[in-house]
């Protein structure tokens, strides 16, 4: 018969740690993987500039976009084949609300910044075909509003942000890791866009704000979907403004 004074074993804590807490789900998201990811997106940006010299004029733009997409998709596939950061892909209904509110706020802020920098900035527009939007505009808008934000967030706020957070956390703790992850992923996000196509000052400021907001969402909630939703709304409203500016010009 066991002694009444024997210690009572405590039940194990079966809760699995989220990716922000470290653990096995990000153990292989290391500095080497992060370095290859940064090299890949840089190569994609450079390849997009070479596309017009390699592909016919009719397909050069789509080829450049595909090369950029590929440079992000491959590191994402490699990273998630190693492991899936626990909780990162969890979906909640509030994520849609976050995206709608902050996507609109970011678009409004871009307009205010453009108005201050440029001084009475005009509505964005594209070329017309017989007074109408070009035939490729709906497909471009769909790709730019859904595919591009999803890939960019998976890369910049998934692979890069989580990678930086995991590497820094092991050495300096969670608080420093959060700051480093937000700063680095935002800087790379802006730099990649600038390398792909030079931007106006107001656009760079807007991109930086998008990067900070989406990165903060990812670190703060531990989920990537608020960032994806915000980016989708931001891009979609941009295409909507182009459509309105073109048709009313």
């Amino acid at each position: 018969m066991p002694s009444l004074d024997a210690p009572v074993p405590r039940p194990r804590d079966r809760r699995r740690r989220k990716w922000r807490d470290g653990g096995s789900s990000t153990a292989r998201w290391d500095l080497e993987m992060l370095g290859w990811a940064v090299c890949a997106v840089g190569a994609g940006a450079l390849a997009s500039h070479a596309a017009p010299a390699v592909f016919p004029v009719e397909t050069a733009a789509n080829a450049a976009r595909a090369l950029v997409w590929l440079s992000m998709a491959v590191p994402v596939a490699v990273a998630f084949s190693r492991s899936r950061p626990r909780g990162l892909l969890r979906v909640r209904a509030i994520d849609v609300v976050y995206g709608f509110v902050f996507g609109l706020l970011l678009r409004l802020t871009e307009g205010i910044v453009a108005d201050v920098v440029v001084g009475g900035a005009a509505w964005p527009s594209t070329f017309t075909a017989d007074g109408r939007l070009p035939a490729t505009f709906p497909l471009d808008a769909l790709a730019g509003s859904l595919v591009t934000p999803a890939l960019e967030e998976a890369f910049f706020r998934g692979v890069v942000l989580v990678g930086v957070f995991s590497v820094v956390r092991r050495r300096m703790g969670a608080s420093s890791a959060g700051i480093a992850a937000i700063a680095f992923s935002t800087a790379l996000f802006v730099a990649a866009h600038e390398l792909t196509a030079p931007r106006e000052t107001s656009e760079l400021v807007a991109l930086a704000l998008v990067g900070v907001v989406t990165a903060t969402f990812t670190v703060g909630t531990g989920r990537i979907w608020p960032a994806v939703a915000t980016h989708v709304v931001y891009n979609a409203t941009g295409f909507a403004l182009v459509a309105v500016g073109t048709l009313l010009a």
Side-chain angles (χ1 to χ4, degrees):
M1 181 174 180
S3 171
L4 295 177
D5 296 328
V8 178
R10 295 181 179 180
R12 290 184 179 180
D13 185 357
R14 297 182 180 276
R15 292 178 301 173
R16 296 185 298 177
R17 293 190 294 175
K18 306 302 182 184
W19 66 266
R20 292 174 298 178
D21 302 321
S24 60
S25 72
T26 54
R28 299 183 65 194
W29 288 50
D30 52 19
L31 193 59
E32 180 185 4
M33 188 196 77
L34 184 61
W36 281 114
V38 173
C39 290
V41 78
L46 294 176
S48 69
H49 286 285
V54 177
F55 296 93
V57 176
E58 302 81 17
T59 60
N62 288 333
R65 180 168 58 187
L67 288 169
V68 172
W69 283 357
L70 185 65
S71 72
M72 293 184 289
V74 170
V76 170
V78 170
F80 280 87
S81 69
R82 291 188 171 198
S83 63
R84 181 181 298 178
R86 195 167 291 125
L88 184 67
L89 301 182
R90 177 173 294 178
V91 182
R92 291 187 177 177
I94 191 65
D95 297 343
V96 177
V97 179
Y98 287 148
F100 183 77
V101 172
F102 282 87
L104 290 179
L105 285 175
L106 284 167
R107 181 59 65 187
L108 178 62
T109 301
E110 182 190 17
I112 294 172
V113 172
D115 190 57
V116 171
V117 173
V118 179
W123 279 65
S125 62
T126 185
F127 67 91
T128 60
D130 297 327
R132 295 175 295 178
L133 289 168
T136 59
F137 184 82
L139 184 59
D140 291 339
L142 186 64
S145 298
L146 295 178
V147 181
T148 297
L151 266 179
E152 289 187 352
E153 292 307 313
F155 180 80
F156 291 105
R157 258 61 69 178
V159 175
V160 174
L161 183 145
V162 175
V164 171
F165 187 98
S166 301
V167 169
V168 176
R169 184 189 178 281
R170 295 171 193 137
R171 294 162 175 80
M172 302 176 65
S175 296
S176 297
I179 295 171
I182 292 171
F184 186 82
S185 63
T186 299
L188 186 63
F189 178 67
V190 174
H193 281 80
E194 177 67 9
L195 283 174
T196 304
R199 314 279 170 157
E200 300 290 339
T201 302
S202 60
E203 292 178 299
L204 292 176
V205 172
L207 285 171
L209 289 173
V210 171
V212 169
V213 169
T214 53
T216 301
F217 266 136
T218 305
V219 172
T221 67
R223 305 188 306 277
I224 200 172
W225 296 111
V228 174
T230 298
H231 203 154
V232 166
V233 172
Y234 176 79
N235 279 20
T237 51
F239 280 104
L241 289 175
V242 169
V244 172
T246 300
L247 295 176
L248 296 184

